[in-house]
Coordinates of all heavy atoms in Angstrom, one line a residue:
Y1 N 51.4 75.0 54.8 CA 51.3 76.3 55.5 C 50.2 77.2 54.8 O 50.0 77.2 53.6 CB 52.6 77.1 55.4 CG 53.6 76.4 56.4 CD1 54.4 75.4 56.0 CD2 53.7 76.9 57.7 CE1 55.3 74.8 56.8 CE2 54.6 76.3 58.6 CZ 55.4 75.2 58.2 OH 56.3 74.6 59.0
L2 N 49.6 78.0 55.7 CA 48.6 79.0 55.3 C 49.2 80.3 55.5 O 49.6 80.7 56.6 CB 47.3 78.9 56.1 CG 46.3 80.0 56.0 CD1 45.8 80.2 54.6 CD2 45.2 79.8 57.0
L3 N 49.4 81.0 54.4 CA 49.9 82.4 54.4 C 48.7 83.3 54.3 O 47.9 83.2 53.3 CB 50.9 82.6 53.2 CG 51.5 84.0 53.1 CD1 52.5 84.2 54.2 CD2 52.3 84.0 51.7
R4 N 48.6 84.3 55.2 CA 47.6 85.3 55.1 C 48.2 86.7 55.0 O 49.1 87.0 55.8 CB 46.7 85.2 56.4 CG 45.8 84.1 56.4 CD 44.8 84.2 57.6 NE 43.8 83.1 57.6 CZ 43.5 82.4 58.6 NH1 44.1 82.5 59.8 NH2 42.6 81.4 58.5
I5 N 47.7 87.5 54.1 CA 48.2 88.8 53.9 C 47.0 89.8 54.0 O 46.1 89.7 53.3 CB 48.8 88.9 52.5 CG1 49.9 87.8 52.3 CG2 49.4 90.3 52.3 CD1 50.2 87.5 50.9
Y6 N 47.1 90.7 55.0 CA 46.0 91.6 55.3 C 46.5 93.0 54.8 O 47.5 93.5 55.2 CB 45.8 91.7 56.8 CG 45.3 90.5 57.5 CD1 46.3 89.5 57.8 CD2 44.0 90.3 57.7 CE1 45.8 88.3 58.5 CE2 43.6 89.1 58.4 CZ 44.5 88.1 58.7 OH 44.1 87.0 59.4
I7 N 45.8 93.5 53.8 CA 46.1 94.8 53.2 C 44.8 95.6 53.0 O 43.7 95.2 53.3 CB 46.9 94.7 51.9 CG1 46.0 93.8 50.9 CG2 48.2 94.0 52.1 CD1 46.6 93.7 49.5
G8 N 45.0 96.8 52.4 CA 43.8 97.6 52.1 C 43.5 97.5 50.6 O 44.4 97.3 49.8
E9 N 42.2 97.7 50.3 CA 41.8 97.6 48.9 C 42.4 98.6 48.0 O 42.6 98.3 46.8 CB 40.3 97.8 48.9 CG 39.6 97.6 47.6 CD 38.1 97.7 47.7 OE1 37.6 98.6 48.5 OE2 37.4 97.0 47.0
L10 N 42.8 99.7 48.5 CA 43.4 100.8 47.6 C 44.9 100.7 47.5 O 45.5 101.5 46.8 CB 42.9 102.1 48.1 CG 41.4 102.4 48.1 CD1 41.2 103.8 48.6 CD2 40.9 102.2 46.7
D11 N 45.5 99.8 48.3 CA 47.0 99.6 48.2 C 47.4 99.3 46.8 O 46.7 98.5 46.1 CB 47.5 98.6 49.2 CG 47.3 99.0 50.6 OD1 47.0 100.1 50.9 OD2 47.4 98.1 51.5
K12 N 48.5 99.8 46.4 CA 49.0 99.6 45.0 C 50.4 99.0 44.9 O 51.2 99.2 45.9 CB 49.0 101.0 44.2 CG 47.7 101.7 44.2 CD 46.8 101.1 43.1 CE 45.6 101.9 42.9 NZ 44.5 101.2 42.5
W13 N 50.7 98.4 43.8 CA 52.1 97.9 43.5 C 52.3 98.2 42.0 O 51.6 97.7 41.2 CB 52.2 96.4 43.8 CG 53.5 95.9 43.4 CD1 53.7 95.1 42.3 CD2 54.8 96.0 44.0 NE1 55.1 94.7 42.2 CE2 55.7 95.3 43.2 CE3 55.2 96.8 45.1 CZ2 57.1 95.3 43.6 CZ3 56.6 96.7 45.4 CH2 57.5 96.0 44.7
H14 N 53.1 99.2 41.7 CA 53.4 99.6 40.4 C 52.1 99.9 39.6 O 51.8 99.4 38.5 CB 54.2 98.6 39.6 CG 55.6 98.4 40.2 ND1 56.6 99.3 40.1 CD2 56.1 97.3 40.9 CE1 57.7 98.8 40.7 NE2 57.4 97.7 41.3
H15 N 51.3 100.8 40.2 CA 50.0 101.3 39.6 C 48.9 100.2 39.4 O 48.0 100.4 38.6 CB 50.3 102.0 38.2 CG 51.3 103.0 38.3 ND1 51.1 104.2 39.0 CD2 52.6 103.1 37.8 CE1 52.2 104.9 38.9 NE2 53.1 104.3 38.2
Q16 N 49.1 99.1 40.0 CA 48.1 98.0 40.0 C 47.6 97.7 41.4 O 48.4 97.8 42.3 CB 48.9 96.7 39.4 CG 48.0 95.5 39.3 CD 48.9 94.3 38.8 OE1 50.1 94.3 38.9 NE2 48.2 93.3 38.2
P17 N 46.4 97.3 41.5 CA 45.9 96.9 42.9 C 46.9 95.9 43.5 O 47.2 94.9 42.8 CB 44.5 96.3 42.7 CG 44.1 97.0 41.4 CD 45.3 97.2 40.6
L18 N 47.3 96.1 44.7 CA 48.3 95.2 45.4 C 47.8 93.8 45.4 O 48.5 92.8 45.2 CB 48.6 95.7 46.8 CG 49.6 94.9 47.6 CD1 50.9 94.7 46.8 CD2 49.9 95.5 48.9
Y19 N 46.5 93.6 45.8 CA 46.0 92.2 45.9 C 46.1 91.5 44.5 O 46.4 90.3 44.5 CB 44.5 92.2 46.4 CG 43.5 92.9 45.6 CD1 42.8 92.2 44.6 CD2 43.2 94.2 45.8 CE1 41.8 92.8 43.8 CE2 42.2 94.9 45.1 CZ 41.6 94.2 44.1 OH 40.6 94.8 43.3
E20 N 45.9 92.2 43.4 CA 46.0 91.5 42.1 C 47.5 91.2 41.8 O 47.8 90.1 41.3 CB 45.5 92.5 41.0 CG 44.0 92.5 40.9 CD 43.5 93.5 39.8 OE1 44.4 93.9 38.9 OE2 42.3 93.7 39.7
A21 N 48.4 92.1 42.2 CA 49.8 91.9 41.9 C 50.3 90.7 42.7 O 51.1 89.9 42.2 CB 50.6 93.1 42.3
I22 N 49.8 90.5 44.0 CA 50.2 89.4 44.8 C 49.7 88.1 44.2 O 50.4 87.1 44.1 CB 49.7 89.6 46.2 CG1 50.5 90.7 46.9 CG2 49.8 88.3 47.0 CD1 50.0 91.2 48.3
V23 N 48.5 88.1 43.8 CA 47.9 86.8 43.2 C 48.6 86.5 41.9 O 49.0 85.3 41.7 CB 46.4 87.0 42.9 CG1 45.8 85.9 42.1 CG2 45.6 87.1 44.3
L24 N 48.9 87.4 41.1 CA 49.6 87.2 39.8 C 51.0 86.7 40.1 O 51.5 85.7 39.4 CB 49.6 88.4 38.9 CG 48.3 88.8 38.4 CD1 48.4 90.1 37.6 CD2 47.7 87.7 37.5
K25 N 51.7 87.2 41.1 CA 53.1 86.8 41.4 C 53.0 85.4 42.0 O 53.9 84.5 41.6 CB 53.7 87.7 42.5 CG 55.1 87.5 42.8 CD 56.0 87.7 41.5 CE 57.4 87.6 41.8 NZ 58.2 87.8 40.6
A26 N 52.0 85.1 42.8 CA 51.9 83.7 43.3 C 51.7 82.7 42.2 O 52.2 81.6 42.2 CB 50.7 83.6 44.3
R27 N 50.9 83.1 41.2 CA 50.7 82.2 40.0 C 51.9 82.0 39.2 O 52.3 80.9 38.8 CB 49.6 82.9 39.1 CG 49.2 82.0 38.0 CD 48.0 82.6 37.3 NE 47.5 81.7 36.2 CZ 47.2 82.2 35.0 NH1 47.2 83.5 34.8 NH2 46.8 81.4 34.1
V28 N 52.7 83.1 39.0 CA 53.9 83.0 38.2 C 54.9 82.1 39.0 O 55.7 81.3 38.3 CB 54.5 84.4 38.0 CG1 56.0 84.3 37.6 CG2 53.7 85.2 37.0
M29 N 54.9 82.1 40.3 CA 55.9 81.4 41.1 C 55.4 79.9 41.3 O 56.1 79.2 42.0 CB 56.2 82.1 42.4 CG 57.0 83.3 42.2 SD 57.5 84.1 43.7 CE 58.7 82.9 44.3

């Protein structure tokens, strides 16, 4: 499966860029 997530560059997750947080979570999982 191909998962695509469309967000904005300035979106945040706990004071971190959201795109970075998503990539790091994917790596941890």
Side-chain angles (χ1 to χ4, degrees):
Y1 286 87
L2 167 60
L3 181 65
R4 286 188 175 131
I5 305 160
Y6 299 82
I7 57 174
E9 184 177 37
L10 298 181
D11 293 346
K12 302 279 186 212
W13 175 253
H14 298 287
H15 308 291
Q16 177 181 24
L18 178 56
Y19 62 90
E20 285 181 9
I22 290 171
V23 168
L24 292 174
K25 187 64 171 179
R27 186 172 182 225
V28 165
M29 292 185 69

